Amino acid sequence: QVQLVESGGGLVQAGDSLRLSCVASGRTFSSYAMGWFRQAPGKEREFVAVITWSGSDTYYAGSVKGRFTIGRDNAKKTVYLQMNSLKPEDTAVYYCAASEVLTTSRDGMDYWGKGTLVTVSS
């Protein structure tokens, strides 16, 4: 089992930056690819970013590419999501997820956190 706890959400203005963190506990963190997903009110949960177990490769949704950066620190069992140039449409609950196999599909994730709310005002 892997337990994931997100933090760092909050209310910001358009153009601001925010960094989300996700701390893992349980089984070997470095064995898992880690991803961030988000769910806006009334919408389905969507892929944001994913990073390989070693941190050598990252993938992003087109809507956040160039503005968001995913990173990880395996020694701290933590994955980050640096979000810059935030837009009102980035408003959502952001979820951290872990998977044994690298994937951008929410159905392919094995473990989920409970989420942290990010609200971007215009």
Side-chain angles (χ1 to χ4, degrees):
Q1 284 281 11
V2 175
Q3 292 79 41
L4 303 171
V5 179
E6 304 95 335
S7 63
L11 173 63
V12 296
Q13 294 186 334
D16 285 351
S17 297
L18 205 59
R19 189 172 87 153
L20 306 183
S21 298
C22 172
V23 179
S25 60
R27 297 179 64 183
T28 307
F29 174 75
S30 60
S31 298
Y32 291 87
M34 298 298 298
W36 288 96
F37 290 74
R38 66 186 182 186
Q39 188 166 16
K43 295 188 177 181
E44 294 189 348
R45 193 172 300 187
E46 64 175 7
F47 165 73
V48 174
V50 68
I51 187 168
T52 54
W53 66 271
S54 66
S56 60
D57 294 292
T58 57
Y59 302 90
Y60 297 92
S63 59
V64 307
K65 196 170 186 179
R67 299 188 298 122
F68 291 11
T69 302
I70 188 171
R72 68 189 296 164
D73 184 334
N74 287 342
K76 295 182 178 180
K77 296 187 178 181
T78 302
V79 62
Y80 305 97
L81 185 68
Q82 177 67 41
M83 305 185 294
N84 298 330
S85 302
L86 283 161
K87 304 175 181 180
E89 50 263 44
D90 294 319
T91 295
V93 176
Y94 282 72
Y95 296 90
C96 174
S99 65
E100 294 187 6
V101 177
L102 180 66
T103 179
T104 60
S105 168
R106 65 174 187 261
D107 294 332
M109 308 310 284
D110 299 305
Y111 302 100
W112 291 91
K114 293 184 178 181
T116 185
L117 177 62
V118 173
T119 304
V120 184
S121 64
S122 58

